Amino acid sequence: PKIARMSVDPHIVAAHCVSVIVPVGPDATQLESALSSLRSQTWSNLEILVTSASRGAKQKAKISTLAALDPRIRIIPVKTGAPEYQARNTALKEAKGTFVTVHQANEVSHPVRIAEQIMPLLRDYAIATVSRCVSVSAEGRFEGVWSPDFTLVFDSPTSLMAATDILREAGGWDAVATNPDAYLAWRLRKSLGKDCIQTVLPRIPAALIWQADVARGPAHLMFAYCQRPHALRRLVRLTCPAADANVSNGITLHAPP
């Protein structure tokens, strides 16, 4: 199916800026394409916050060159070697937009992705939105994900978009090594209701993610169909009873800076 280019009132666009956080890792080989796809969004009122904790002068120079192409791109300095969750939270503090989302550096988005995700928020249909994506190999082949219901199209957890104030009140992203989005989504559902996050365009991928950037840790290979990864996540939550109680009472757990 085709994605129609929605007609959006320019006055609405002008009133609501979206801050897009782009954390850049050492293997961000598609950064130029990622930023180009953001610059081509039909929702033009964006600020693109690029963060990099890289020690490499070459990557820093490349980011500066790309940032010079569009005044909406802003480089957010972070401590060298800082983990991604910390880079995201630093950018969240600097965000000036009404809404915030994350865009991977090795991801290319359809031009209507931001518009499709923001409209349910403006219409109060949802508190947060996510879109779907597909994984693509270096050779251009679509790759399935590790799940019992093998599928090519899956939710992109990093695409979560919500009001900036809500994400700040939630404390941003958790201090975990991988997949901080899953914990943030869990806390939002715990405090705001299980249906607070809406998936837009559920049958259509709004982004391509190059395979090198898709999470493929040992758990995906060793425990693809058993309960161990879920039990581990549950253990993490149970070892933080105060956090669970706070979220249940509508008070959010704040991630470390």
Side-chain angles (χ1 to χ4, degrees):
K2 295 181 179 179
I3 305 178
R5 284 182 175 264
M6 62 165 54
S7 177
V8 182
D9 186 333
H11 295 94
I12 297 178
V13 177
H16 300 284
C17 176
V18 178
S19 297
V20 185
I21 299 172
V22 184
V24 181
D27 300 322
T29 57
Q30 302 297 327
L31 179 59
E32 185 173 356
S33 296
L35 294 180
S36 178
S37 73
L38 287 175
R39 294 168 57 207
S40 301
Q41 291 293 306
T42 58
W43 193 276
S44 57
N45 191 2
L46 304 175
E47 69 162 356
I48 303 168
L49 307 178
V50 180
T51 70
S52 173
S54 173
R55 296 176 174 85
K58 185 176 180 181
Q59 186 182 86
K60 292 180 179 179
K62 181 178 181 180
I63 292 174
S64 297
T65 299
L66 294 174
L69 299 176
D70 195 314
R72 296 175 296 175
I73 301 176
R74 188 154 60 100
I75 299 173
I76 304 299
V78 294
K79 184 179 179 181
T80 300
E84 183 175 319
Y85 78 84
Q86 193 174 89
R88 293 188 189 192
N89 288 333
T90 299
L92 179 60
K93 292 177 182 178
E94 297 288 332
K96 299 177 181 178
T98 310
F99 300 94
V100 169
T101 188
V102 172
H103 193 281
Q104 297 183 54
N106 276 13
E107 175 180 15
V108 178
S109 288
H110 191 282
V112 303
R113 171 182 161 182
I114 299 296
E116 288 285 349
Q117 285 195 233
I118 195 175
M119 291 312 293
L121 305 180
L122 295 178
R123 294 167 178 163
D124 293 327
Y125 293 162
I127 295 175
T129 59
V130 294
S131 53
R132 311 203 79 195
C133 63
V134 292
S135 171
V136 182
S137 70
E139 296 78 24
R141 294 192 303 266
F142 292 125
E143 302 284 345
V145 297
W146 287 94
S147 66
D149 54 338
F150 180 84
T151 179
L152 292 176
V153 182
F154 55 97
D155 284 348
S156 172
T158 58
S159 68
L160 188 143
M161 180 188 293
T164 307
D165 290 343
I166 288 178
L167 291 181
R168 285 175 177 162
E169 176 61 24
W173 289 270
D174 294 89
V176 293
T178 60
N179 201 10
D181 307 282
Y183 293 94
L184 173 59
W186 172 75
R187 289 190 287 111
L188 290 177
R189 290 189 174 104
K190 189 81 172 178
S191 60
L192 302 175
K194 63 179 183 179
D195 298 323
C196 69
I197 302 175
Q198 175 182 318
T199 300
V200 303
L201 303 172
R203 296 188 300 160
I204 304 173
L208 303 178
I209 300 178
W210 300 105
Q211 186 179 15
D213 250 28
V214 175
R216 295 181 183 274
H220 290 271
L221 298 174
M222 297 169 61
F223 312 116
Y225 302 111
C226 72
Q227 297 300 313
R228 188 165 178 178
H230 305 292
L232 181 59
R233 294 187 184 100
R234 185 169 182 270
L235 179 62
V236 171
R237 294 168 184 168
L238 291 177
T239 54
C240 299
D244 188 63
N246 284 344
V247 173
S248 299
N249 293 328
I251 305 171
T252 52
L253 172 66
H254 290 260

